[in-house]
Amino acid sequence: MRNLIEIWMVALYAGLASLGAIAFSEDAARASIPPDLGRYAQYEDFELSPGFKPDPRLGTGTSGGTEESGDCGEIDSTPDHLLTLTRDFDFLRISVEAPGDITLLVEKPNGERVCSDDTNGVLPEVSGSYPAGRYKIWVGDWGNSYEYRICLSQDSSKQCFD
């Protein structure tokens, strides 16, 4: 037996009242909701497949937030970026550049979190093989916010930022 959802509406217009109703099945409602409804990030989202062009892919944002992440500094309560990999990557580099000391926190599709701090001087980087899925990315700091650039590249032979 299907569940039926009814929504009753009352409209007042020019002193006249009208009553109407719509009904739809729960299955139809669920099918019509986009799968990404409710997901969001502070800044750019990235969707990549191996061989993506242009390489590197760049984004921007402001580091930090009000949440204490532990060993990855202060971050926002919502991710700064969402990264969707449509297929497995043998190699992908996520680098961040800013004028000060920042961190990079990446949450894998399985919920495991990886923190990078001071990989390239005071700048963070996470690189290696990545399975397909959705990744949450935060750029944190130690109390001083900075404008940053984030770089995603599958070219293991060069750095994103010189």
Side-chain angles (χ1 to χ4, degrees), residues 30-159:
R30 199 172 301 128
S32 67
I33 296 173
D36 291 338
L37 186 66
R39 74 148 185 84
Y40 58 95
Q42 301 288 324
Y43 308 106
E44 293 92 351
D45 290 350
F46 302 96
E47 184 172 320
L48 304 176
S49 298
F52 69 86
K53 298 289 182 202
D55 182 355
R57 196 67 57 88
L58 301 172
T60 60
T62 303
S63 68
T66 59
E67 305 292 320
E68 179 57 50
S69 72
D71 52 345
C72 230
E74 295 173 359
I75 60 172
D76 285 313
S77 57
T78 57
D80 292 315
H81 304 277
L82 292 175
L83 168 62
T84 302
L85 301 180
T86 59
R87 295 196 326 256
D88 295 350
F89 274 75
D90 292 332
F91 179 84
L92 184 67
R93 172 183 290 120
I94 304 172
S95 304
V96 186
E97 175 185 62
D101 192 6
I102 57 173
T103 64
L104 176 62
L105 178 63
V106 178
E107 184 176 290
K108 298 178 179 182
N110 66 5
E112 177 189 355
R113 288 185 164 194
V114 176
C115 175
S116 175
D117 183 23
D118 301 341
T119 305
N120 296 315
V122 294
L123 302 178
E125 175 181 297
V126 176
S127 60
S129 62
Y130 285 77
R134 178 164 294 153
Y135 294 77
K136 297 175 183 175
I137 300 172
W138 290 266
V139 177
D141 58 44
W142 303 106
N144 294 312
S145 293
Y146 299 99
E147 297 297 313
Y148 68 81
R149 291 190 315 155
I150 187 168
C151 173
L152 296 95
S153 178
Q154 58 193 347
D155 186 348
S156 62
S157 67
K158 62 181 179 183
Q159 295 293 321

Side-chain angles (χ1 to χ4, degrees), residues 5-34:
I5 299 171
E6 293 183 358
I7 300 173
W8 291 88
M9 298 173 291
V10 176
L12 294 174
Y13 179 61
L16 302 173
S18 64
L19 181 64
I22 59 171
F24 55 91
S25 73
E26 187 175 348
D27 293 338
R30 199 172 301 128
S32 67
I33 296 173

